[in-house]
Structure formats: C-alpha cells, structure tokens
C-alpha cells in the first residue's frame, strides 16, 4: 500500500512519517457475497458456507495482537453478510486493533449506518467506474447506485473516514478520471486505486490487465491528482495498492517540484520498503489458511491446525523467511535494479503466475 498523499504532505511540511509499527492482517471472514466481480481473488459467491466460527475467530484475535498485528482489514466475500461481524470488530477494539471494513456497500442502510460507523475505524466501499462500467464489472444492475448511496449516507454523519476503492483494468481504465470527479463532487476523503493481481478471477481474466504503456499513463494521471490536491489543499487522500513501482514515478515527480526535500523523501521511501507481503502484511482466508497476502499462491499455515504464533513469529517456514529479507533476492531485471530497496520487487504472486518462479521479476513492472 503506497500512501503517496501522506508522504507528500508530511515531507513537504517537515512532519513525522506515518510509520506502521506492527503488521496488517487482511482477513476474509467469509467467502459469501451478493456480487460476482470479474477480478475477485477469492471467487466469492452467495451460496458459500462459512467455515470460520465466531468462537474460532475470537480465539485467534488475541494471538494476532500478541504477534504484532495492529490493523485488521475485514474482507470477504462481503463481510457484512456475517451476523457476528460487529461482535468480532468490538473484540478488536477492546484489544486495541484498528479495524478497516472493505465492503461493496449494498448492505449499508439507514438502520445500520451509525452502528457501522461506531464499530469500524475506516470503511472502504468499492466503486469501479461509471454506472454502466461498475454494474457490468460487479455483475449486478443497480449496484453502482446502491454503493454510492452507501458512500453518501456514511459520509453524511461526519464520523469516520469513508473512502472508495477502485481496481484499474482495461475495462475500467477509461473511467479513472470519473473516479476522481466522483470524489470531488461527493467530497469523498480517500481514493484507493488498486492494480490488478493475477489471482482468483483476476488470474482467470489475465487479459483484463493494462499494458505497461497504459499503466504509465494511468499512474501519471493519479500523480497529477495527488499533486493538484496537495497544492490546492484539497482534503482527498490518494493511496495506490499492488504496484509498489508507483513510488519511483512519484519520487521523480517529487524531486522536480521539491528538490530541497529529495533526500528526506528517498529516506522515507526506503524505510517504507515496498512490497510487504510476509513482512508486515498477512492474509487469513475463509478456510483459516494463512498466506503472505490475499493473492499469494502458497499457504504458510492454517489456524485450525497450528497456533498463529508458530505460523507467523516462532516457527516461520523458509518461504516466509525469504520474503522477509529486505531487499529480496530476486532474478530478472530486479536483480540489478537500482530501485529494489524501495519497491522490494513488487508482487510475488504476479511473478509466479507468469514465470512459474516466485523469485522472478514482477511482469507488470513498467519502469
């Protein structure tokens, strides 16, 4: 996750860096979902049956905390399909774990809006372009209108930051500008742009991914908006995900505009360290499998069969140990790349999907 707006603001204003003192866990609490999105990495569907019991989840949460997990992203499927979701989030709050809810927004209503806002520290709602594009991408007519109603409803309370999440593919590429227009018109405080990772339906639909030429154009547009918002003091935060190479285009642009802060920015980018799968990021799926990230082709353990402390901290398998070397030892053009200590080689899932080698270069790298 590359928080470019935060970096831009803190470095130019000589403010302390926003550091992650601990790990982020993305937990797919369910594989049940009311949509059928083309890029879904978990291939969620409405008929899925939950494997994870409330008891098992509650038993695991203190172990996450004890092993350095400070942030927990509630994902799925659609996490709001679980009847115990507020109970789980309440336990996180008691443990001091910050909670993020990733939702399509279709189950957000006036009857539960305040409860959602009071329960979660941040809520991200998926919007994949204009109405026609979004509805086709999400597999349900009317889903765009329903999701935007949820965004506006939650933000109307002024309680918790509520942002939108957008996955950029060939199908949604032409709607990138629309997403920022939407954020500006609806006063949405955060826009998260996710690049496609080849996993789940995202692997089935590999042809959906951008060309490298398209990606450079898209990332430069995202940077244009970030610098515009910074310079006009527009309070819209921009974050990109699953493409750590964005940091290099950002750095080059930053140095042109603020050369006096170049050394400090480079220092912070190196400290950030790029792809954090297996280092500061982990995933638990709906079957209890633990992976370095949600897209990863390999499982490193299972909470039904092992103690989480053994999986993550005390007895990490060789794969996890290799992922935690920074910068990673990689092949291809990554082996001699001057930017490796910043991006850390990008996605190992994409490398494996295309090259059959987890330690090859990320095939989506556009540098």
């Amino acid at each position: 996750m590359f928080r470019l707006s935060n970096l831009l603001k803190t470095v130019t204003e000589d403010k302390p860096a926003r550091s992650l003192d601990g790990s982020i866990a993305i937990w797919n609490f369910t594989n049940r979902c009311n949509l059928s999105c083309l890029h879904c990495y978990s291939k969620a569907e409405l008929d899925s049956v939950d494997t994870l019991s409330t008891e098992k989840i509650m038993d695991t949460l203190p172990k996450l905390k004890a092993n350095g997990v400070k942030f927990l992203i509630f994902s799925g499927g659609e996490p709001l399909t679980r009847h115990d979701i507020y109970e789980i989030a309440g336990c996180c709050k008691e443990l001091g774990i910050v909670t993020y809810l990733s939702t399509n927004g279709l189950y957000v209503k006036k009857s539960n809006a305040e409860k959602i806002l009071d329960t979660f520290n941040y809520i991200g709602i998926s919007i994949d372009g204009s109405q026609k594009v979004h509805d086709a991408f999400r597999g349900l007519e009317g889903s765009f209108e329903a999701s935007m109603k949820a965004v506006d409803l939650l933000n109307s309370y002024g309680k918790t930051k509520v942002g939108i999440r957008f996955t950029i593919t060939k199908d949604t590429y032409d709607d990138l500008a629309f997403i920022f227009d939407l954020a500006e018109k609806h006063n949405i405080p955060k826009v998260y742009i996710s690049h496609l990772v080849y996993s789940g339906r995202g692997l089935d639909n590999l042809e959906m991914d951008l060309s490298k030429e398209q990606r450079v154009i898209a990332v430069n547009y995202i940077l244009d908006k970030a610098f515009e918002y910074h310079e006009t003091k527009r309070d819209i935060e921009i974050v990109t995900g699953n493409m750590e190479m964005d940091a290099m285009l950002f750095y080059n642009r930053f140095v042109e505009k603020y050369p006096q802060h170049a050394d400090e920015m480079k220092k912070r980018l190196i400290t950030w360290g790029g792809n954090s799968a297996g280092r500061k990021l982990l995933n638990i799926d709906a079957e209890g499998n633990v992976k370095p990230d949600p897209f990863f082709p390999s499982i490193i353990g299972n909470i039904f069969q092992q103690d989480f402390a053994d999986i993550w901290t005390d007895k990490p398998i060789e794969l996890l140990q290799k992922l935690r070397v920074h910068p990673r030892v990689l092949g291809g053009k990554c082996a001699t790349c001057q930017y490796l200590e910043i991006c850390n080689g990008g996605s190992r899932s994409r490398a494996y999907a295309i090259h059959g080698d987890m330690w090859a270069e990320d095939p989506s790298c556009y540098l």
Side-chain angles (χ1 to χ4, degrees):
M1 200 177 295
F2 181 50
R3 303 180 186 277
L4 62 161
S5 294
N6 181 265
L7 277 166
L8 185 54
K9 180 179 176 64
T10 56
V11 172
T12 57
E13 296 178 5
D14 294 319
K15 292 182 177 179
R18 181 178 178 179
S19 59
L20 176 60
D21 180 24
S23 300
I24 297 174
I26 302 171
W27 197 334
N28 303 91
F29 287 106
T30 180
N31 210 38
R32 196 183 322 116
C33 189
N34 52 338
L35 294 179
S36 187
C37 307
L38 293 177
H39 62 305
C40 180
Y41 61 81
S42 59
K43 297 186 178 181
E45 56 188 6
L46 195 56
D47 294 333
S48 293
V49 177
D50 289 337
T51 300
L52 296 161
S53 66
T54 307
E55 182 181 8
K56 185 61 182 175
I57 293 168
M58 293 300 197
D59 177 62
T60 305
L61 290 176
K63 298 174 183 178
L64 297 184
K65 175 67 175 180
N67 287 275
V69 172
K70 299 290 183 69
F71 297 84
L72 183 56
I73 299 175
F74 284 56
S75 190
E78 171 51 57
L80 289 177
T81 62
R82 285 195 67 115
H83 70 279
D84 57 0
I85 202 71
Y86 303 108
E87 184 182 354
I88 296 167
C91 182
C92 289
K93 186 176 287 188
E94 291 175 6
L95 290 167
I97 298 174
V98 176
T99 56
Y100 288 11
L101 174 66
S102 179
T103 175
N104 58 44
L106 270 63
Y107 288 127
V108 176
K109 309 294 179 184
K110 283 187 178 180
S111 59
N112 64 3
E114 283 198 89
K115 188 172 186 178
I116 291 170
L117 290 166
D118 290 340
T119 300
F120 295 95
N121 298 90
Y122 173 79
I123 299 143
I125 296 180
S126 299
I127 300 290
D128 284 298
S130 58
Q131 182 172 347
K132 182 179 179 181
V133 171
H134 175 96
D135 287 359
F137 205 64
R138 295 273 157 183
L140 180 66
E141 187 175 347
S143 59
F144 172 83
E145 183 179 357
S147 294
M148 279 307 302
K149 278 184 179 179
V151 172
D152 290 336
L153 174 62
L154 292 171
N155 272 327
S156 71
Y157 290 87
K159 285 187 174 184
T160 302
K161 184 177 283 189
V162 180
I164 55 177
R165 302 167 57 86
F166 172 78
T167 300
I168 186 165
T169 68
K170 283 181 179 174
D171 296 317
T172 64
Y173 174 75
D174 290 334
D175 276 9
L176 180 60
F178 173 88
I179 288 296
F180 285 100
D181 288 343
L182 198 68
E184 293 165 15
K185 290 174 182 175
H186 290 255
N187 294 312
I188 298 168
K190 184 174 180 179
V191 178
Y192 174 84
I193 310 289
S194 178
H195 295 268
L196 186 70
V197 180
Y198 317 141
S199 181
R201 291 195 191 101
L203 180 56
D204 295 341
N205 293 281
L206 182 58
E207 69 276 7
M208 290 166 49
D209 201 16
L210 302 181
S211 68
K212 293 184 181 182
E213 292 75 18
Q214 286 177 313
R215 199 178 305 282
V216 170
I217 293 170
V219 174
N220 274 313
Y221 182 81
I222 294 166
L223 294 179
D224 287 342
K225 300 306 290 187
F227 281 90
E228 174 194 328
Y229 294 157
H230 175 71
E231 290 160 5
T232 60
K233 300 190 183 303
R234 184 71 189 259
D235 191 20
I236 299 177
E237 181 184 3
I238 300 175
V239 178
T240 67
N242 306 315
M243 191 61 63
E244 290 78 14
M245 290 66 77
D246 291 353
M248 269 59 76
L249 284 193
F250 169 78
Y251 177 71
N252 291 336
R253 180 85 66 91
F254 181 87
V255 170
E256 289 177 8
K257 286 182 171 285
Y258 303 103
Q260 70 275 26
H261 296 294
D263 289 345
E264 177 61 23
M265 180 57 77
K266 187 172 184 180
K267 186 191 304 180
R268 294 200 189 187
L269 288 175
I270 292 171
T271 300
W272 165 66
N275 187 277
S276 60
R279 278 192 316 133
K280 293 187 174 182
L281 176 67
L282 67 110
N283 170 244
I284 304 175
D285 71 14
E287 302 295 323
N289 296 313
V290 182
K291 297 184 289 184
D293 71 29
F295 314 102
F296 222 80
S298 299
I299 294 167
I300 59 173
N302 185 287
I303 60 171
F304 287 106
Q305 301 165 8
Q306 300 149 275
D307 189 275
F308 179 76
D310 288 340
I311 298 170
W312 188 245
T313 307
D314 297 339
K315 301 175 183 178
I317 65 172
E318 184 181 0
L319 169 62
L320 208 52
Q321 294 176 42
K322 290 178 70 174
L323 286 171
R324 290 172 177 175
V325 173
H326 189 271
R328 292 173 182 148
V329 180
L330 303 175
K333 62 183 178 181
C334 291
T336 56
C337 182
Q338 62 180 311
Y339 300 122
L340 185 60
E341 63 181 344
I342 293 177
C343 80
N344 206 24
S347 171
R348 300 299 86 220
S349 299
R350 280 193 293 254
Y352 185 81
I354 299 303
H355 303 298
D357 178 1
M358 204 172 293
W359 311 107
E361 64 188 57
D362 183 336
S364 287
C365 179
Y366 54 80
L367 297 179

